[in-house]
Amino acid sequence: MRGSATPVTQAARRALWEASGVVVDDLASQVLVLNVPASGSPLGGWLTESAALGMPFRITLHQLTSMPVTLGIAELRVCENPAVLRAAAAELGPRCAPLACTEGIPSAACHQLLGQAAMLRWRGDFDWTGLRVVTAAIARYGAAPWRMGADDYLAALAVGESEALKGPPAESAWDSRLAAEMRTSGRAVMEERLIPLLLGDLDGATAVATAAATAARPARPQPMFDGAALGEGSWDVWSR
């Protein structure tokens, strides 16, 4: 992938080959998921059983190709760091919204699974590679960025524990302010710094309560607008 660092380990080289569409090992190509029920094969049954328990499940490309599944969900959240999925399993368990983890650049197994989802909400690290991966997800799947706006970045940056940005800069077409703020600060914020915020989005109980409260409110007229009327940075409002 253009802009990526030159791989120095076998695992990193294999990941780069996969990102280019070359599958070296269909057992090594994997995707980590939580609460993603499915049907259509024994693999679908295993995924459904693990979802009922709120247990993470690792799927290989070999399993996906030999035992095709049909996802039983309308929307799938996608994160980059397994620390996010691990925290979601520990804190939320079965009530966590369906979640997949790319563990860096998405593998062939990851693409095989995510290509079935009707709606993807995608996020990554606030670094240049993270912006490129989200840009690719939007182009490939029509994914919606999840907590990947300039305001999200600035709030995370204010908490601290950032590090220097590395590599060539990237753009953020969904929110041009984000890339601009990152260039100005020169700092990267890893995804795990946002875990408390992300768990709030993933909490199914919270989502149900919010939906019920919204449904109970009296309806009010909605303003008319078109896409051009939305100001710079407005994606923050619509990407939750």
Side-chain angles (χ1 to χ4, degrees), residues 109-121:
C110 191
H111 285 304
Q112 180 83 359
L113 182 75
L114 300 187
Q116 298 189 45
M119 175 63 183
L120 295 173
R121 295 193 178 276

Side-chain angles (χ1 to χ4, degrees), residues 162-178:
S162 62
E163 57 190 66
L165 278 166
K166 301 175 183 177
E171 297 303 320
S172 54
W174 64 92
D175 183 348
S176 59
R177 279 184 57 226
L178 173 58

